Amino acid sequence: MTNTEPLIQLERLGKSYNSNCVLENITTSVNRSEFITLVGTSGCGKSTFLKLLLGTEAVSTGTLSIAGAPVHAEPSPDRGIVFQRYSVFPHLNVRQNVALGRELEDTRIFGRQFNAKRKQTMEEADHWLKAVGLQDAADKYPHELSGGMQQRLALAQALLKQPQVLLLDEPFGALDPGIRKDMYQLVLKLWENHRLTIFMVTHDLAEGFYLGTRLWVFDKVRHDPHEPELYGSTITYDLPVDERGDARRLVEDTLTNELNKDIPQKAAL
Amino acid sequence: MSRSRRWINAQPSMFLKITLGLLPFLVLLLVYQYQSDARKAENPKDKLLPSFSEMSAAVDRHAFQPSKRTGQYLLWRDTASSLTRLLSGIAIAALLGLTFGLATGAFPMFDALSTPVITAISLIPPMAILPILFIVFGLGELSKVVLIIIGISPFITREIYLRTKEIPAEQLIKAQTLGGNSSQVVFRVLLPQIAPRLIGAVRLSLGSAWLFLIAAEAIAATDGLGYRIFLVRRYLAMDVILPYVVWITFLAFVLDRLLILISQKSFPWYHDD
């Protein structure tokens, strides 16, 4: 297929659990290299939408296709993921964590590589560690890393597989404001350098405007006061974020203020 | 005057901590010595609370003099037999527990198939089926090892099952997005993380393993630490029983320490948290 065709197409997509309708009637398409940020109140279905893309939940109605093929309801290497926590393997050091994605391509049962192949994989892992700024921590275990460094590692793991779509599930929600600022720069740099297609769920509207090229707001358009579970959410706003410069400055100011608020409090202790 | 600390905040210094720890042992020894002396004063042939010199003589007889009947050094022979039974029972139980615990924890289909029957088996009191083991496996080594296996493998299985379930789903999903198939997820993600937890489960089951070993040896054996103490009980030989009990306790302690050490050396990422 050509690059001008949309990478992801959604046709009257819906998701419900028994009688509880979470998502309904979503029709849209996403091109390669778009950076979609998903926002909305908690329980609005933005995380459920990400699970449909990831394949941990199955589509109930309508269709969801990536590169022309309907998504298989199981995670696979064409869709990379970074969760808020627990995305890295505690028993492997940083380099082994990244190398795992390549090692699993060999020996179908044990997923290990040896000798020259292994050496090549480790070099490739180091390349990705450098891309996320973790080259000096290659021999450490995840518990020795800060929260921000663990998320960098999770990104490197996902990037090694060069997925068609990168999914981020509130990846910076547990980080300090200062660290978050660095992570924004990293994600934007990776997105630009590797022409990634990214979906990111966030509860922070400013973050959504700051990072995305397109911001989706999930909300319900129909309400039944007697049966609140009858109708699901849909994309109520699909905003192109063209003037990212302004939004970025706003967010940088907010984060800097937050940071400054933090410092005198800590100093006073 | 400085305010005194509340008791819930008072921390002992290193020296005080060691002293306090040793104190109860010292008190126990002194109380024993006093009671033993008191009984000996009344009846020099008292066997219930033998003096320390009697006990050391008994240790000397069993550990450093060949037995008059068989020419063997009884304590070492008993120790070797008991440890062989104990360790082979624990090793097989650990392997069984790991296999079934991991398989039920990792594969929902296998979970549905085998968890009900494993739960039912784990509810059988192992001692109640000891007669069956003696009938089926005879009075030899096998039935004693099997008792230990039946006694502790349900616990290890359950423990490994729970620990496997505890591994965050995020990791399993992540591994699949890295291209992992079922077997690769088991061998590269689950098994390495379960290994230190298996050592933990084995440590927790050591006490029961000793219990089943000594029970089996008490009933049918021709050597072993449990056999010996139950044999000499007929002669009220407390001078042999007490040192044997101390020796068994010491072995249990060493085994436990050894397992911690192996775990710390092999899985530093698990212990540094």
Side-chain angles (χ1 to χ4, degrees), chain B residues 108-124:
Chain B
M109 293 288 184
F110 192 71
D111 188 5
L113 173 76
S114 58
T115 296
V117 69
I118 291 176
T119 308
I121 291 173
S122 71
L123 289 173
I124 302 170

Side-chain angles (χ1 to χ4, degrees), chain A residues 46-47 83-84 151 168-174 200-203:
Chain A
K46 56 187 194 292
S47 290
F83 293 106
Q84 188 172 8
Q151 292 307 74
L168 309 175
D169 192 357
E170 301 202 15
F172 314 129
M200 182 175 91
V201 167
T202 176
H203 58 267

Side-chain angles (χ1 to χ4, degrees), chain A residues 54 56 75-77 79 81 83 86-87 89-91 100-101 103-104 106-111 141 143 154 157 161, chain B residues 168-181 183-185 187-190 192-193 268-270 272-273:
Chain A
L54 179 58
T56 51
S76 66
R79 289 156 285 160
I81 178 80
F83 293 106
Y86 308 124
S87 299
F89 302 107
H91 61 293
L100 185 68
E103 285 196 278
L104 292 177
D106 281 292
T107 55
R108 284 191 48 76
I109 295 183
F110 295 107
Y141 281 96
H143 73 265
Q157 278 181 308
K161 298 298 281 186
Chain B
E170 284 90 340
Q171 283 188 28
L172 303 186
I173 295 166
K174 182 84 187 190
Q176 293 174 70
T177 66
L178 299 181
N181 62 31
S183 139
Q184 291 173 331
V185 169
F187 285 111
R188 294 294 322 261
V189 178
L190 297 178
Q193 293 193 64
W269 53 268
Y270 183 69
D272 288 356
D273 277 357

Side-chain angles (χ1 to χ4, degrees), chain B:
Chain B
M1 191 188 134
S2 68
R3 278 183 63 185
S4 64
R5 277 175 178 279
R6 294 182 188 90
W7 282 106
I8 51 169
N9 294 326
Q11 298 285 346
S13 66
M14 201 55 185
F15 173 75
L16 190 60
K17 202 174 160 183
I18 294 170
T19 315
L20 287 176
L22 288 174
L23 194 64
F25 289 99
L26 203 68
V27 170
L28 280 175
L29 283 176
L30 285 175
V31 168
Y32 182 89
Q33 173 88 58
Y34 175 79
Q35 290 293 331
S36 170
D37 284 353
R39 289 183 71 98
K40 292 278 180 198
E42 218 162 88
N43 170 15
K45 289 200 164 163
D46 177 71
K47 298 190 85 172
L48 200 61
L49 297 180
S51 67
F52 289 113
S53 57
E54 283 173 321
M55 282 193 270
S56 80
V59 170
D60 184 57
R61 273 202 315 282
H62 283 80
F64 306 113
Q65 315 269 340
S67 151
K68 286 192 185 99
R69 279 185 52 226
T70 59
Q72 283 168 325
Y73 295 86
L74 289 179
L75 179 68
W76 307 123
R77 196 194 144 168
D78 289 338
T79 304
S81 309
S82 286
L83 282 183
T84 310
R85 290 165 193 150
L86 186 79
L87 294 180
S88 41
I90 288 174
I92 296 168
L95 200 65
L96 280 176
L98 177 67
T99 310
F100 281 94
L102 196 55
T104 46
F107 301 101
M109 293 288 184
F110 192 71
D111 188 5
L113 173 76
S114 58
T115 296
V117 69
I118 291 176
T119 308
I121 291 173
S122 71
L123 289 173
I124 302 170
M127 290 306 293
I129 54 168
L130 185 56
I132 302 176
L133 300 183
F134 283 145
I135 292 167
V136 175
F137 299 110
L139 296 176
E141 294 304 302
L142 191 58
S143 56
K144 298 179 199 63
V145 174
V146 171
L147 179 68
I148 296 173
I149 295 169
I150 291 179
I152 66 172
S153 54
F155 168 79
I156 297 179
T157 306
R158 175 117 193 111
E159 188 71 11
I160 295 303
Y161 169 77
L162 292 175
R163 298 289 87 82
T164 307
K165 288 269 182 197
E166 239 172 44
I167 291 175
E170 284 90 340
Q171 283 188 28
L172 303 186
I173 295 166
K174 182 84 187 190
Q176 293 174 70
T177 66
L178 299 181
N181 62 31
S182 295
S183 139
Q184 291 173 331
V185 169
V186 168
F187 285 111
R188 294 294 322 261
V189 178
L190 297 178
L191 183 61
Q193 293 193 64
I194 285 304
R197 293 164 170 96
L198 176 66
I199 294 184
V202 166
R203 282 183 57 211
L204 287 176
S205 62
L206 274 182
S208 325
W210 277 105
L211 169 77
F212 293 123
L213 171 76
I214 289 168
E217 286 181 342
I219 295 166
T222 53
D223 60 6
L225 298 164
Y227 162 77
R228 193 69 51 200
I229 51 182
F230 274 84
L231 179 75
V232 300
R233 176 192 63 90
R234 297 175 197 167
Y235 321 117
L236 217 68
M238 289 288 273
D239 58 336
V240 178
I241 295 175
L242 290 177
Y244 260 73
V245 171
V246 171
W247 177 238
I248 292 170
T249 311
F250 176 72
L251 289 176
F253 170 78
V254 169
L255 219 53
D256 189 61
R257 285 275 117 186
L258 222 58
L259 286 172
I260 299 184
L261 221 67
I262 292 170
S263 186
Q264 283 171 343
K265 284 268 175 249
S266 319
F267 312 105
W269 53 268
Y270 183 69
H271 294 275
D272 288 356
D273 277 357

